[in-house]
Amino acid sequence: MMLTNKHKAYLIITITFLLGTIVGASGQYLRLAPAATAPHRTPREITQELTQVLSLDESQQLRVEQVLDDGQRQYQEVKTQMKSQGLAIRDAMRNRIRETLSSDQQAKYEAWTRALDARREQEAKKKN
């Protein structure tokens, strides 16, 4: 079956519309997904819940809370390391971009990156 130009145009428009819908819906999901996550719970709160579910005795409660405290501390250390590594990668990328720009472009790029960083900082404050 041979498609005419008119049918090809309709097909392209339909596919474009469907892809736009899928991308838009995915973006909405990703934007709203963090809001649906459970609030952060402390090791004590988790230990209390586990005590009810598992009937932990006092020594078990202490050990479980210590394990949770230690895990939370380790997680925070990894998160801090990842953040610093991410910032180092970002800075290296920015420096490589700067190398390709003229001095006029570099000034505009600096303004753009400052505005981007400020927006990210504001978004981070809203999340906390």
PDB file of all heavy atoms in Angstrom, residues 94-109:
ATOM      1  N   ARG A  94      31.258  23.355  32.946  1.00  0.00           N
ATOM      2  CA  ARG A  94      31.131  24.800  32.734  1.00  0.00           C
ATOM      3  C   ARG A  94      32.435  25.402  32.233  1.00  0.00           C
ATOM      4  O   ARG A  94      32.436  26.257  31.357  1.00  0.00           O
ATOM      5  CB  ARG A  94      30.668  25.489  34.019  1.00  0.00           C
ATOM      6  CG  ARG A  94      29.212  25.232  34.318  1.00  0.00           C
ATOM      7  CD  ARG A  94      28.776  25.927  35.579  1.00  0.00           C
ATOM      8  NE  ARG A  94      27.342  25.731  35.802  1.00  0.00           N
ATOM      9  CZ  ARG A  94      26.671  26.249  36.811  1.00  0.00           C
ATOM     10  NH1 ARG A  94      27.294  27.018  37.706  1.00  0.00           N
ATOM     11  NH2 ARG A  94      25.381  26.012  36.947  1.00  0.00           N
ATOM     12  N   ASN A  95      33.560  24.944  32.794  1.00  0.00           N
ATOM     13  CA  ASN A  95      34.862  25.455  32.344  1.00  0.00           C
ATOM     14  C   ASN A  95      35.125  25.085  30.887  1.00  0.00           C
ATOM     15  O   ASN A  95      35.643  25.897  30.119  1.00  0.00           O
ATOM     16  CB  ASN A  95      35.988  24.941  33.242  1.00  0.00           C
ATOM     17  CG  ASN A  95      35.994  25.622  34.583  1.00  0.00           C
ATOM     18  OD1 ASN A  95      35.551  26.758  34.730  1.00  0.00           O
ATOM     19  ND2 ASN A  95      36.485  24.926  35.590  1.00  0.00           N
ATOM     20  N   ARG A  96      34.758  23.872  30.503  1.00  0.00           N
ATOM     21  CA  ARG A  96      34.943  23.449  29.114  1.00  0.00           C
ATOM     22  C   ARG A  96      34.063  24.274  28.177  1.00  0.00           C
ATOM     23  O   ARG A  96      34.480  24.612  27.068  1.00  0.00           O
ATOM     24  CB  ARG A  96      34.645  21.960  28.975  1.00  0.00           C
ATOM     25  CG  ARG A  96      35.716  21.089  29.625  1.00  0.00           C
ATOM     26  CD  ARG A  96      35.393  19.625  29.613  1.00  0.00           C
ATOM     27  NE  ARG A  96      35.169  19.139  28.254  1.00  0.00           N
ATOM     28  CZ  ARG A  96      34.549  17.996  27.984  1.00  0.00           C
ATOM     29  NH1 ARG A  96      34.080  17.237  28.963  1.00  0.00           N
ATOM     30  NH2 ARG A  96      34.389  17.603  26.738  1.00  0.00           N
ATOM     31  N   ILE A  97      32.861  24.592  28.619  1.00  0.00           N
ATOM     32  CA  ILE A  97      31.981  25.434  27.799  1.00  0.00           C
ATOM     33  C   ILE A  97      32.577  26.823  27.663  1.00  0.00           C
ATOM     34  O   ILE A  97      32.610  27.393  26.565  1.00  0.00           O
ATOM     35  CB  ILE A  97      30.553  25.487  28.398  1.00  0.00           C
ATOM     36  CG1 ILE A  97      29.866  24.127  28.232  1.00  0.00           C
ATOM     37  CG2 ILE A  97      29.722  26.597  27.746  1.00  0.00           C
ATOM     38  CD1 ILE A  97      28.549  23.988  28.962  1.00  0.00           C
ATOM     39  N   ARG A  98      33.062  27.381  28.777  1.00  0.00           N
ATOM     40  CA  ARG A  98      33.671  28.722  28.753  1.00  0.00           C
ATOM     41  C   ARG A  98      34.806  28.800  27.727  1.00  0.00           C
ATOM     42  O   ARG A  98      34.983  29.818  27.068  1.00  0.00           O
ATOM     43  CB  ARG A  98      34.211  29.087  30.125  1.00  0.00           C
ATOM     44  CG  ARG A  98      33.180  29.567  31.087  1.00  0.00           C
ATOM     45  CD  ARG A  98      33.818  30.010  32.416  1.00  0.00           C
ATOM     46  NE  ARG A  98      32.794  30.052  33.427  1.00  0.00           N
ATOM     47  CZ  ARG A  98      32.549  29.075  34.314  1.00  0.00           C
ATOM     48  NH1 ARG A  98      33.304  27.989  34.322  1.00  0.00           N
ATOM     49  NH2 ARG A  98      31.587  29.189  35.194  1.00  0.00           N
ATOM     50  N   GLU A  99      35.591  27.730  27.616  1.00  0.00           N
ATOM     51  CA  GLU A  99      36.725  27.706  26.691  1.00  0.00           C
ATOM     52  C   GLU A  99      36.291  27.882  25.241  1.00  0.00           C
ATOM     53  O   GLU A  99      37.082  28.320  24.413  1.00  0.00           O
ATOM     54  CB  GLU A  99      37.497  26.398  26.842  1.00  0.00           C
ATOM     55  CG  GLU A  99      38.230  26.269  28.156  1.00  0.00           C
ATOM     56  CD  GLU A  99      38.815  24.875  28.363  1.00  0.00           C
ATOM     57  OE1 GLU A  99      38.651  23.997  27.478  1.00  0.00           O
ATOM     58  OE2 GLU A  99      39.431  24.660  29.413  1.00  0.00           O
ATOM     59  N   THR A 100      35.060  27.526  24.939  1.00  0.00           N
ATOM     60  CA  THR A 100      34.589  27.624  23.549  1.00  0.00           C
ATOM     61  C   THR A 100      33.952  28.974  23.239  1.00  0.00           C
ATOM     62  O   THR A 100      33.627  29.248  22.087  1.00  0.00           O
ATOM     63  CB  THR A 100      33.558  26.521  23.239  1.00  0.00           C
ATOM     64  OG1 THR A 100      32.379  26.749  24.006  1.00  0.00           O
ATOM     65  CG2 THR A 100      34.118  25.145  23.534  1.00  0.00           C
ATOM     66  N   LEU A 101      33.770  29.817  24.255  1.00  0.00           N
ATOM     67  CA  LEU A 101      33.025  31.066  24.088  1.00  0.00           C
ATOM     68  C   LEU A 101      33.946  32.273  23.927  1.00  0.00           C
ATOM     69  O   LEU A 101      35.060  32.296  24.468  1.00  0.00           O
ATOM     70  CB  LEU A 101      32.108  31.283  25.306  1.00  0.00           C
ATOM     71  CG  LEU A 101      31.109  30.170  25.619  1.00  0.00           C
ATOM     72  CD1 LEU A 101      30.356  30.494  26.909  1.00  0.00           C
ATOM     73  CD2 LEU A 101      30.148  29.947  24.470  1.00  0.00           C
ATOM     74  N   SER A 102      33.433  33.274  23.251  1.00  0.00           N
ATOM     75  CA  SER A 102      34.141  34.556  23.169  1.00  0.00           C
ATOM     76  C   SER A 102      33.967  35.269  24.509  1.00  0.00           C
ATOM     77  O   SER A 102      33.152  34.858  25.343  1.00  0.00           O
ATOM     78  CB  SER A 102      33.560  35.414  22.042  1.00  0.00           C
ATOM     79  OG  SER A 102      32.244  35.838  22.379  1.00  0.00           O
ATOM     80  N   SER A 103      34.699  36.367  24.724  1.00  0.00           N
ATOM     81  CA  SER A 103      34.597  37.085  26.004  1.00  0.00           C
ATOM     82  C   SER A 103      33.185  37.644  26.214  1.00  0.00           C
ATOM     83  O   SER A 103      32.672  37.630  27.334  1.00  0.00           O
ATOM     84  CB  SER A 103      35.650  38.177  26.108  1.00  0.00           C
ATOM     85  OG  SER A 103      35.507  39.089  25.037  1.00  0.00           O
ATOM     86  N   ASP A 104      32.532  38.130  25.157  1.00  0.00           N
ATOM     87  CA  ASP A 104      31.149  38.610  25.280  1.00  0.00           C
ATOM     88  C   ASP A 104      30.209  37.468  25.662  1.00  0.00           C
ATOM     89  O   ASP A 104      29.341  37.627  26.521  1.00  0.00           O
ATOM     90  CB  ASP A 104      30.669  39.244  23.968  1.00  0.00           C
ATOM     91  CG  ASP A 104      31.349  40.564  23.672  1.00  0.00           C
ATOM     92  OD1 ASP A 104      31.940  41.152  24.604  1.00  0.00           O
ATOM     93  OD2 ASP A 104      31.274  41.001  22.503  1.00  0.00           O
ATOM     94  N   GLN A 105      30.399  36.339  25.014  1.00  0.00           N
ATOM     95  CA  GLN A 105      29.564  35.179  25.314  1.00  0.00           C
ATOM     96  C   GLN A 105      29.815  34.684  26.735  1.00  0.00           C
ATOM     97  O   GLN A 105      28.889  34.256  27.427  1.00  0.00           O
ATOM     98  CB  GLN A 105      29.826  34.059  24.310  1.00  0.00           C
ATOM     99  CG  GLN A 105      29.325  34.355  22.923  1.00  0.00           C
ATOM    100  CD  GLN A 105      29.786  33.304  21.929  1.00  0.00           C
ATOM    101  OE1 GLN A 105      30.915  32.804  22.008  1.00  0.00           O
ATOM    102  NE2 GLN A 105      28.908  32.973  20.981  1.00  0.00           N
ATOM    103  N   GLN A 106      31.056  34.742  27.179  1.00  0.00           N
ATOM    104  CA  GLN A 106      31.389  34.290  28.523  1.00  0.00           C
ATOM    105  C   GLN A 106      30.653  35.117  29.569  1.00  0.00           C
ATOM    106  O   GLN A 106      30.146  34.574  30.554  1.00  0.00           O
ATOM    107  CB  GLN A 106      32.899  34.349  28.769  1.00  0.00           C
ATOM    108  CG  GLN A 106      33.657  33.253  28.068  1.00  0.00           C
ATOM    109  CD  GLN A 106      35.154  33.344  28.309  1.00  0.00           C
ATOM    110  OE1 GLN A 106      35.639  34.215  29.028  1.00  0.00           O
ATOM    111  NE2 GLN A 106      35.894  32.430  27.687  1.00  0.00           N
ATOM    112  N   ALA A 107      30.571  36.409  29.376  1.00  0.00           N
ATOM    113  CA  ALA A 107      29.860  37.274  30.329  1.00  0.00           C
ATOM    114  C   ALA A 107      28.385  36.895  30.389  1.00  0.00           C
ATOM    115  O   ALA A 107      27.802  36.803  31.471  1.00  0.00           O
ATOM    116  CB  ALA A 107      30.022  38.739  29.933  1.00  0.00           C
ATOM    117  N   LYS A 108      27.790  36.655  29.234  1.00  0.00           N
ATOM    118  CA  LYS A 108      26.383  36.240  29.192  1.00  0.00           C
ATOM    119  C   LYS A 108      26.207  34.865  29.822  1.00  0.00           C
ATOM    120  O   LYS A 108      25.231  34.605  30.528  1.00  0.00           O
ATOM    121  CB  LYS A 108      25.860  36.225  27.755  1.00  0.00           C
ATOM    122  CG  LYS A 108      25.739  37.600  27.141  1.00  0.00           C
ATOM    123  CD  LYS A 108      25.310  37.505  25.689  1.00  0.00           C
ATOM    124  CE  LYS A 108      25.291  38.864  25.019  1.00  0.00           C
ATOM    125  NZ  LYS A 108      24.946  38.768  23.589  1.00  0.00           N
ATOM    126  N   TYR A 109      27.172  33.988  29.575  1.00  0.00           N
ATOM    127  CA  TYR A 109      27.124  32.643  30.145  1.00  0.00           C
ATOM    128  C   TYR A 109      27.213  32.692  31.667  1.00  0.00           C
ATOM    129  O   TYR A 109      26.502  31.969  32.361  1.00  0.00           O
ATOM    130  CB  TYR A 109      28.251  31.782  29.561  1.00  0.00           C
ATOM    131  CG  TYR A 109      28.249  30.354  30.052  1.00  0.00           C
ATOM    132  CD1 TYR A 109      27.240  29.481  29.680  1.00  0.00           C
ATOM    133  CD2 TYR A 109      29.258  29.893  30.884  1.00  0.00           C
ATOM    134  CE1 TYR A 109      27.235  28.175  30.131  1.00  0.00           C
ATOM    135  CE2 TYR A 109      29.272  28.588  31.335  1.00  0.00           C
ATOM    136  CZ  TYR A 109      28.259  27.726  30.959  1.00  0.00           C
ATOM    137  OH  TYR A 109      28.250  26.430  31.415  1.00  0.00           O
TER     138      TYR A 109
END
